[in-house]
């Protein structure tokens, strides 16, 4: 759904990003005209997001009561086809398992025990969440993983530091224990750290990262392979409240 939204486009008003109105689809899909949009609006559907969140069976039933029911149902069918074109097809359990086994791309964390527990390491394209009390070693683990990915996989690492806990010296120690000084400097250059102190700045940073990655989709040299957020709980706790005794790294 996220990919569908981004491909269908978004619009901004007052600095707040909102899902695209249905009108933005009419240019390439004339059947989604004013009559179709008026019908959708009568059921509280004004945007693409509204359409996806609505009970489409109920919407189709209401369309049958209209004089132009055939055209309305054709518009609903077209919207569904647009969704299917932009989203991955549904897969059953066996197909998901087969896909996992065939596309088992993992990144070593630098710790053999953790790699064994994760059946190879951190999986590319997936979220790995590390949870534990304060001072339990989460940041140490994140920095070791960042150093390992930058050194062994020749990829870039983006480290979002929310608590001023990032230590370039500690990462250098991980790298230089296995490499000479010159290679260590090259590896260190592949790790970028951004200090983020609130959730809104993090959203801005991630949005900027998405734009950058989309513009570099065909560039394989030193591509971003690992994104570390250390830690997400320090950004969420001030909003939700709580003691923040538990920490989370992603």
């Amino acid at each position: 759904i996220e990919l569908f939204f981004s491909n269908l486009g978004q619009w901004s008003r007052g600095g707040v990003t909102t899902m695209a109105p249905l009108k933005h689809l009419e240019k390439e899909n004339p059947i989604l005209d004013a009559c179709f949009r008026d019908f959708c609006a009568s059921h509280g559907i004004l945007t693409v997001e509204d359409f996806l969140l609505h009970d489409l069976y109920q919407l189709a039933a209401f369309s049958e009561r209209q004089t132009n029911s055939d055209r309305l149902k054709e518009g609903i069918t077209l919207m569904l086809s647009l969704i299917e074109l932009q989203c991955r097809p549904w897969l059953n359990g066996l197909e998901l398992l087969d896909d996992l086994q065939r596309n088992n791309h993992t990144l070593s964390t630098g710790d053999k025990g953790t790699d064994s527990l994760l059946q190879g390491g951190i999986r590319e394209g997936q979220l790995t969440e590390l949870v534990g009390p304060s001072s339990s070693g989460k940041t140490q683990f994140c920095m070791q993983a960042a150093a390992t990915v930058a050194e062994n996989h020749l990829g870039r690492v983006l480290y979002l530091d929310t608590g001023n806990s990032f230590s370039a010296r500690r990462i250098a120690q991980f790298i230089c224990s296995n490499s000479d000084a010159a290679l260590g400097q090259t590896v260190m250059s592949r790790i970028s750290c951004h200090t983020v102190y609130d959730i809104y700045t993090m959203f801005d940073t991630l949005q900027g990262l998405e734009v950058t990655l989309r513009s570099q989709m065909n560039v394989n040299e030193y591509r971003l392979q690992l994104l570390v957020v250390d830690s997400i709980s320090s950004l969420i706790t001030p909003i939700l409240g709580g003691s923040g005794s538990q920490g989370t790294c992603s």
Side-chain angles (χ1 to χ4, degrees), residues 131-223:
V131 180
S134 178
S135 302
S136 61
K138 301 183 300 300
T139 295
Q140 180 89 347
F141 175 87
C142 289
M143 289 191 291
Q144 183 176 17
T148 302
V149 170
E151 182 175 15
N152 296 346
H153 298 275
L154 304 180
R156 293 193 301 113
V157 177
L158 177 59
Y159 200 110
L160 300 184
D161 180 17
T162 70
N164 199 29
S165 56
F166 179 84
S167 172
R169 179 177 298 178
R170 187 69 184 106
I171 288 185
Q173 290 174 349
F174 285 125
I175 296 172
C176 292
S177 63
N178 302 318
S179 310
D180 56 46
L183 179 58
Q185 290 181 355
T186 301
V187 174
M188 286 291 292
S189 68
R190 300 176 191 148
I191 303 175
S192 300
C193 178
H194 289 212
T195 302
V196 180
Y197 289 129
D198 61 77
I199 192 69
Y200 306 106
T201 303
M202 189 184 76
F203 285 153
D204 289 341
T205 302
L206 293 177
Q207 187 174 23
L209 174 63
E210 180 183 13
V211 172
T212 301
L213 292 179
R214 288 183 182 277
S215 66
Q216 299 177 349
M217 288 183 65
N218 297 322
V219 179
N220 293 321
E221 184 178 7
Y222 297 146
R223 66 186 181 91

Side-chain angles (χ1 to χ4, degrees), residues 12-186:
S12 180
R13 180 177 59 188
V16 179
T17 301
T18 311
M19 293 306 169
L22 295 180
K23 185 177 181 179
H24 287 194
L25 305 177
E26 183 182 3
K27 183 177 180 180
E28 296 182 0
N29 307 279
I31 196 171
L32 306 179
D33 56 13
C35 291
F36 178 79
R37 296 196 304 275
D38 288 343
F39 168 73
C40 290
S42 67
H43 296 279
I45 302 174
L46 302 176
T47 67
V48 175
E49 182 181 20
D50 294 336
F51 184 87
L52 290 173
L53 296 176
H54 199 81
D55 186 337
L56 299 183
Y57 292 103
Q58 184 184 65
L59 189 66
F62 279 121
S63 70
E64 294 180 353
R65 305 176 187 177
Q66 308 299 314
T67 56
N68 57 342
S69 61
D70 290 341
R71 187 171 180 82
L72 292 176
K73 285 189 288 186
E74 188 177 351
I76 295 173
T77 301
L78 175 60
M79 287 292 296
L80 291 174
S81 68
L82 290 175
I83 296 172
E84 292 177 356
L85 286 173
Q86 300 295 344
C87 298
R88 291 189 62 184
W90 291 99
L91 300 175
N92 61 38
L94 288 176
E95 291 171 329
L96 287 171
L97 179 61
D98 180 63
D99 179 70
L100 177 64
Q101 293 172 339
R102 286 187 293 104
N103 301 289
N104 185 19
H105 301 296
T106 58
L107 303 172
S108 174
T109 65
D111 181 81
K112 293 182 179 179
T114 303
D115 286 348
S116 177
L117 182 65
L118 296 176
Q119 298 182 347
I122 300 172
R123 298 188 183 278
E124 287 187 328
Q126 296 187 17
L127 174 67
T128 301
E129 187 175 19
L130 183 66
V131 180
S134 178
S135 302
S136 61
K138 301 183 300 300
T139 295
Q140 180 89 347
F141 175 87
C142 289
M143 289 191 291
Q144 183 176 17
T148 302
V149 170
E151 182 175 15
N152 296 346
H153 298 275
L154 304 180
R156 293 193 301 113
V157 177
L158 177 59
Y159 200 110
L160 300 184
D161 180 17
T162 70
N164 199 29
S165 56
F166 179 84
S167 172
R169 179 177 298 178
R170 187 69 184 106
I171 288 185
Q173 290 174 349
F174 285 125
I175 296 172
C176 292
S177 63
N178 302 318
S179 310
D180 56 46
L183 179 58
Q185 290 181 355
T186 301

